[in-house]
Amino acid sequence: MNMAEFACRSCGKTGPALVLSLGLSPLANSLLTKEELADPKAEEKFPLDLAFCEGCSLLQITETVPPEKMFREYLYFSSFSDTMVKHAETIATRLVSERALGKDSLVLEIASNDGYLLQHYAKQGVPVLGVEPARNVAKVAVEERGIRTITEFFGRELAETLVKDGQRADVIHANNVLAHVPDLNGVVAGIAIALKDDGVAVIEAPYAKELVDHREFDTIYHEHLCYFSLTALSHLMERHGLVVSDVERLPIHGGSLRIFVSKTKKRSAAVTKLLAEEAGGGVATLGPFADFAKRVEALKTELVEMLGDLKEKGARVAAYGAAAKGATLLNFLGIGKNTIDFVVDRSTHKQGRFMPGVHVPILAPSELLTRQPDVCLLLTWNFKDEILEQQSEYRAKGGKFIVPIPEVKLL
Ligand code: ZN
């Protein structure tokens, strides 16, 4: 991509600054079937370049892969993570109480996945509506959890239809979805339309500061178009008449921002303070990104050498977590079947398939005990505590985990 021609997805300014190039990479969520493995044409590769917009501070990749190539079949079910379900229950319980939600309220979630969040409102008698374009995932929400779900992309048009239908929301949730949509302004305009005047939108997104501070380069993949700072989010919301009234930092997904967005409230002291931090040489400026590429290369060298040493000593190596970040990490490191025998994952939808690019097979986590590899590279390091606890038996028998990010550690 020619940087001079690339226009920022939020403010439209052209010519962002290139921050990191991860080279050509396959689509990180396109886990291959056995048949696809035999067909080299089944797997396309696209450039993965990260750039910073000096107009609105939005960090973003410059390639937009057509959605029809990416969403053939969506395999991420939020409910396979205990951490995600617990996280969802906590915020739902809090908002029901803080905003006195009841049978006349409406909670809308954009990208409602398998109903992992809305189920907690429904249980408390609050009407809910999910919007989820991936049919196979939405089906689980409807059939197993009884969550009313529209299988469409959320934007201006859908929001207008809802309002005509008398369905304006008291609360709109958008967790980890803004980063995935090419038309950022369409989604935020939709939020402004569908939200009641005294309503609140609660938006969560991985924080760009954590990405750069902790070298979380593996969170960069084609489906993940944008990486937000509070400054970038604030510019985006204000363009649509919305105010970021409060902000919290969350440990989830390697460190996220949760913002509360309103039509009428003012910025809290926490918002003003974080915006000032970001503007003063923080992630609203190019400064923190200056040596990012070098720091990522150093991490790559360290990991590749460590795995090389282990293999030389005859160690058997596996990996945990067939997530998109795992595919990014393995492809960037150039580590495949010669080093890693298999990847395990709890999702039954992923088992039996193969990691994109590197073609390592995906098996059930029970295989860690059956085969007892000497070390296991933890690709889903963002769920480290949960996974180490689940795998206490493997560890008790001498199995070790390599945590790659933010620092390489053997546990
Ligand atoms: Zn911009």
Side-chain angles (χ1 to χ4, degrees):
M1 164 65 66
N2 179 349
M3 289 296 148
E5 285 168 16
F6 179 81
C8 171
R9 290 187 182 87
S10 180
C11 74
K13 185 179 159 72
T14 50
L18 180 67
V19 162
L20 175 71
S21 178
L22 294 174
L24 283 175
S25 202
L27 298 178
N29 274 319
S30 294
L31 304 178
L32 304 173
T33 60
K34 218 173 183 175
E35 294 71 38
E36 287 167 331
L37 202 60
D39 174 12
K41 273 191 244 136
E43 192 164 45
E44 265 185 274
K45 292 188 178 181
F46 302 89
L48 203 44
D49 295 328
L50 187 69
F52 179 83
C53 171
E54 292 180 79
C56 71
S57 302
L58 182 62
L59 197 59
Q60 56 207 303
I61 62 164
T62 52
E63 190 79 12
T64 306
V65 178
E68 61 273 16
K69 288 199 177 182
M70 284 198 283
F71 299 108
R72 285 180 309 176
E73 186 189 8
Y74 198 58
L75 294 175
Y76 182 74
F77 289 77
S78 302
S79 296
F80 276 96
S81 159
D82 298 340
T83 309
M84 285 291 289
V85 174
K86 183 77 204 142
H87 175 74
E89 186 176 9
T90 308
I91 186 68
T93 306
R94 177 177 147 191
L95 283 170
V96 168
S97 147
E98 276 180 14
R99 306 197 61 95
L101 301 176
K103 62 178 178 27
D104 298 323
S105 312
L106 177 65
V107 177
L108 175 78
E109 186 180 15
I110 303 168
S112 49
N113 200 271
D114 57 7
Y116 75 101
L117 170 61
L118 291 179
Q119 63 178 341
H120 299 294
Y121 286 101
K123 273 181 207 155
Q124 297 183 62
V126 180
V128 297
L129 176 62
V131 180
E132 172 54 62
R135 286 179 191 279
N136 63 325
V137 182
K139 194 166 172 249
V140 174
V142 174
E143 290 180 4
E144 294 179 19
R145 302 204 167 89
I147 303 298
R148 191 163 64 104
T149 305
I150 300 176
T151 48
E152 277 181 48
F153 284 97
F154 182 86
R156 268 188 203 94
E157 211 177 315
L158 180 58
E160 275 161 7
T161 311
L162 291 175
V163 171
K164 264 186 216 147
D165 234 20
Q167 302 196 74
R168 286 175 85 203
D170 297 84
V171 175
I172 297 181
H173 281 286
N175 286 347
N176 299 306
V177 58
L178 274 192
H180 295 256
V181 293
D183 182 14
L184 277 178
N185 288 298
V187 169
V188 178
I191 291 175
I193 293 165
L195 191 65
K196 284 185 186 167
D197 291 344
D198 60 349
V200 64
V202 184
I203 298 171
E204 293 181 19
Y207 189 17
K209 179 171 165 50
E210 309 275 2
L211 165 73
V212 65
D213 282 358
H214 300 143
R215 300 188 287 186
E216 296 170 0
F217 72 89
D218 58 340
T219 59
I220 302 164
Y221 49 90
H222 297 101
E223 287 179 19
H224 203 175
L225 300 165
C226 299
Y227 306 79
F228 290 98
S229 58
L230 183 60
T231 307
L233 282 167
S234 189
H235 282 303
L236 175 60
M237 297 302 147
E238 281 171 13
R239 201 174 297 127
H240 300 280
L242 299 167
V243 178
V244 179
S245 59
D246 210 357
V247 61
E248 294 169 358
R249 288 181 66 175
L250 308 171
I252 203 151
H253 294 304
S256 294
L257 287 181
R258 173 190 279 155
I259 59 167
F260 294 83
V261 175
S262 155
K263 291 185 177 175
T264 51
K265 287 190 180 175
K266 294 210 166 68
R267 284 178 181 169
S268 70
V271 173
T272 309
K273 182 166 174 271
L274 191 53
L275 285 174
E277 269 176 41
E278 290 185 353
V283 284
T285 70
L286 249 180
F289 303 103
D291 64 346
F292 185 48
K294 240 188 235 166
R295 292 168 52 229
V296 169
E297 277 299 331
L299 182 74
K300 174 179 177 173
T301 306
E302 189 181 352
L303 262 174
V304 168
E305 283 179 5
M306 183 183 197
L307 288 166
D309 286 349
L310 283 164
K311 286 303 277 186
E312 227 166 74
K313 288 177 192 144
R316 286 173 309 127
V317 182
Y320 194 108
K325 56 163 57 67
T328 303
L329 188 130
L330 293 179
N331 279 285
F332 180 61
L333 261 58
I335 284 182
K337 287 183 291 187
N338 291 337
T339 306
I340 294 177
D341 299 336
F342 58 95
V343 178
V344 297
D345 197 286
R346 266 175 109 187
S347 172
T348 46
H349 303 274
K350 296 181 178 179
Q351 294 163 15
R353 296 187 181 229
F354 297 82
M355 294 297 277
V358 294
H359 302 171
V360 180
I362 302 162
L363 309 174
S366 57
E367 294 297 322
L368 277 186
L369 280 178
T370 313
R371 306 188 188 199
Q372 195 65 35
D374 301 294
V375 287
C376 183
L377 176 61
L378 184 56
L379 299 172
T380 42
W381 48 265
N382 50 326
F383 295 119
K384 181 181 86 190
D385 295 342
E386 174 180 338
I387 292 164
L388 289 187
E389 197 185 315
Q390 283 161 8
Q391 296 305 326
S392 51
E393 199 179 339
Y394 164 71
R395 297 177 73 209
K397 286 183 171 171
K400 296 253 186 256
F401 275 96
I402 299 175
V403 181
I405 287 172
E407 303 291 337
V408 181
K409 272 190 193 150
L410 195 62
L411 295 177

